Amino acid sequence: MIRVAVMLGVILLLSSACMPLELSFTPSSEQVSIVFLISGDPADEEAYRALVEQFMAEVPAVRVELLNIPGQGDFRRRLTADFAAGTPPDVFLINYRRYGPLIARNAIAPIDGYLAQSAVLRREDFYPQALEAFTWRGELMCMPQNMSSPVIYYNKDLFDAAGLPYPANDWRWEDFVTTAQALTRDWDGDGTIDQYGFGVEATLVRAAPFIWMNGGEIVDDPTMPTTLTLSAPASREALAWFVDLQNSHRVVPDAVAEAAESSLSRFLNGRLAMLMESRRVVPEFRRIEAFDWDVAPLPLGKVPASILHSDAFCIAAASLHREAAWQFVEFANTRAGQSILARSGRTIPSRIDLAADPTVLDPQAKPHNTRIFLDAVPTLRTFPALATWADIESAVDAELKQAFYGQISLDDAIAAATARSADFFSQRE
C-alpha cells in the first residue's frame, strides 16, 4: 500500500497545477553521477527512490545512485569508512545528533552560499528549529528535510477493552502513570505480565523531554557546555520518575522481557498499550490491521518541552560534483520534493508551508491526531552542537539503561555518566 501511495503522490505532483515542480538550476550539457546515501526501512527507501527518479526526470544531466544501509549502526560505520577512504557519498542524510564528528573534520561542505543564491528556496520557508539544529558556529551546514517530536502511540482497542478514555492533549505525568498501570495485565495469573502499559527506550533522547519539562537541564550551558547536570535536583527528580516506570511501577518490560521482544514488536503485536516514539514508525504502523491506533502528546510536566528529531541532506566536502549535489538537495527541499517524501507518513516536512498543508495532515490517514506534531514545534529543544556529543550521549545511555533496569542505582548511574563524559566535553572542539 505504501508503494501505491508513493507512486500516486508522484502522479499527483506531475498532474497538479497547484503544486508544480520548481527548478531554479541550469542543467549541465554533460551528465554527472552522484551517490546519495540513506539509512531506512523499505518504506523509506521507496519514498527516497521516488524522489530520486522524479529529480532525474527533471534533470537528466544528473544521475543519482541511491544507496540504503538499513541499520543506523551499520550506516554510521559505512559513512565513517567511506570518509576515511576518501570516497564519501556526494550527499547523505543524517540526524543532527550524529553529524558533529564530520563537522569537526571539515568533512561537510557548508550550504549557506547555495541557499542564499537559490531562486526556489528561502531560509524563511523552513522551521527555525530545524535550521538551528544544523547550524555550526553561525553557518548552515546541511539542509533539514524533516522534523518530528516524540509522542505517545496508543492502542485504542486496548483502551476500549479496559474502559479507559483515550489520552487527553493536556494529560499530566500522574495521569500517564495511572493509565499505564491500568493497562499492564497478567491475563492468566501466572505471575508473568502478558500486556504492558508502556514501552520506551532507556536512552537520554527519550528522557530529555521529561528533564526539561521538570525545569531541569542536561548540561551546564546549552551553547558551551562543560559538564552534565543530571544530578541537579530538578533533573534528578525527572530521571527518577522516568526510571521508576520500570523499577517501581513495572509498567514497562524489564531487561529480560525487552531482550526477548522489543517494545516496538509488542506494540505491533497488540500486547503493548502505549509506545513513546517519533514520527518514523508511522509507515510501519499504517500496515497494522489487527487494531486501531492513534497518537497523543507526551504527558505534561511543569513547563512545556519536547526534543527535536530531524534529518538533513549534507554534501560531502570531498565531493567532485558539489554543484550537482546541491541541485539534488535543492530539488528535494522544494515543496514538490518534500511532498514526495511526506506522503510516506514518516516525517513532518521542515517546510512551514507544507507541514500545515491539508494534503500532508490527511484526516483520512493515521494518525488522526497528527496535529500534535505541529503543536509541539514551539516547545522543541535540541542537544548541544558538539563534535563529541554522540560520545557523550552514548556514555549517558549506557549508565541510564542500567539504572532503568534496576542494575545500579540512579545516583551511581548519574555519577558514572558524568565521569565517563568528562573527557568528551574537554574534546568538544
Side-chain angles (χ1 to χ4, degrees), residues 302-367:
K302 296 175 182 177
V303 295
S306 191
I307 188 166
L308 174 71
H309 291 258
S310 183
D311 304 306
F313 295 91
C314 301
I315 299 174
S319 170
L320 299 179
H321 305 293
R322 288 197 207 175
E323 294 296 329
W326 169 250
Q327 288 177 356
F328 173 63
V329 171
E330 182 182 42
F331 170 78
N333 287 285
T334 60
R335 184 178 171 89
Q338 285 205 6
S339 293
I340 294 173
L341 300 176
R343 293 184 196 283
S344 74
R346 184 184 186 275
T347 63
I348 296 295
S350 60
R351 289 184 64 100
I352 298 172
D353 61 344
L354 193 59
D357 190 295
T359 63
V360 176
L361 298 181
D362 183 353
Q364 302 304 315
K366 295 180 183 179

Side-chain angles (χ1 to χ4, degrees), residues 15-357:
S15 61
S16 174
C18 64
M19 191 182 293
L21 293 174
E22 304 165 342
L23 301 174
S24 70
F25 33 78
T26 302
S28 169
S29 58
E30 181 180 350
Q31 187 178 57
V32 299
S33 295
I34 62 172
V35 174
F36 174 38
L37 183 67
I38 66 168
S39 178
D41 59 24
D44 295 326
E45 182 172 348
E46 191 75 26
Y48 283 104
R49 195 164 298 283
L51 173 70
V52 165
E53 290 174 356
Q54 186 58 41
F55 170 74
M56 290 193 297
E58 294 294 321
V59 189
V62 180
R63 180 180 179 275
V64 181
E65 180 184 358
L66 176 66
L67 296 180
N68 179 26
I69 309 296
Q72 277 294 320
D74 291 338
F75 169 81
R76 290 194 290 271
R77 283 188 286 273
R78 168 66 179 269
L79 196 60
T80 300
D82 284 354
F83 271 102
T87 57
D90 299 277
V91 181
F92 57 97
L93 199 71
I94 197 168
N95 188 281
Y96 76 93
R97 292 161 43 224
R98 305 299 183 199
Y99 84 136
L102 297 173
I103 294 292
R105 296 202 298 268
N106 297 315
I108 296 176
I111 62 167
D112 259 333
Y114 289 120
L115 182 58
Q117 295 174 17
S118 176
V120 296
L121 301 183
R122 301 176 305 161
R123 183 179 289 269
E124 54 267 31
D125 292 335
F126 300 87
Y127 282 105
Q129 293 91 338
L131 292 173
E132 290 167 7
F134 289 96
T135 297
W136 186 270
R137 297 177 180 171
E139 191 166 26
L140 185 63
M141 303 303 297
C142 305
M143 199 69 218
Q145 182 270 319
N146 58 53
M147 59 190 301
S148 179
S149 56
V151 297
I152 303 298
Y153 291 82
Y154 66 96
N155 183 321
K156 298 175 74 173
D157 289 16
L158 294 184
F159 272 74
D160 292 343
L164 295 173
Y166 300 144
N169 283 352
D170 61 350
W171 65 337
R172 307 194 71 82
W173 288 10
E174 55 268 30
D175 304 320
F176 176 79
V177 172
T178 300
T179 300
Q181 289 173 323
L183 290 163
T184 300
R185 303 289 183 86
D186 172 9
W187 291 113
D188 54 14
D190 65 352
T192 300
I193 296 175
D194 302 297
Q195 174 187 299
Y196 284 93
F198 184 49
V200 64
E201 296 173 342
T203 58
L204 183 60
V205 73
R206 293 290 179 250
F210 303 111
I211 293 173
W212 292 327
M213 283 184 201
N214 204 44
E217 294 291 342
I218 294 169
V219 294
D220 57 342
D221 182 340
T223 304
M224 292 292 291
T226 63
T227 187
L228 296 172
T229 55
L230 300 179
S231 61
S235 301
R236 188 197 179 283
E237 182 180 49
L239 284 174
W241 179 85
F242 183 75
V243 301
D244 278 350
L245 293 171
Q246 200 289 126
N247 280 329
S248 298
H249 302 305
R250 304 294 183 186
V251 299
V252 177
D254 62 20
V256 174
E258 186 69 19
E261 182 180 15
S262 71
S263 288
L264 175 61
S265 176
R266 289 175 190 272
F267 187 87
L268 290 168
N269 292 330
R271 291 181 285 102
L272 183 80
M274 297 184 290
L275 177 72
M276 183 176 175
E277 257 293 358
S278 68
R279 182 83 185 190
R280 70 183 180 91
V281 296
V282 166
E284 186 172 14
F285 285 7
R286 284 180 176 174
R287 296 193 184 104
I288 295 173
E289 297 181 353
F291 61 86
D292 196 8
W293 61 273
D294 208 341
V295 295
L298 299 182
L300 300 173
K302 296 175 182 177
V303 295
S306 191
I307 188 166
L308 174 71
H309 291 258
S310 183
D311 304 306
F313 295 91
C314 301
I315 299 174
S319 170
L320 299 179
H321 305 293
R322 288 197 207 175
E323 294 296 329
W326 169 250
Q327 288 177 356
F328 173 63
V329 171
E330 182 182 42
F331 170 78
N333 287 285
T334 60
R335 184 178 171 89
Q338 285 205 6
S339 293
I340 294 173
L341 300 176
R343 293 184 196 283
S344 74
R346 184 184 186 275
T347 63
I348 296 295
S350 60
R351 289 184 64 100
I352 298 172
D353 61 344
L354 193 59
D357 190 295

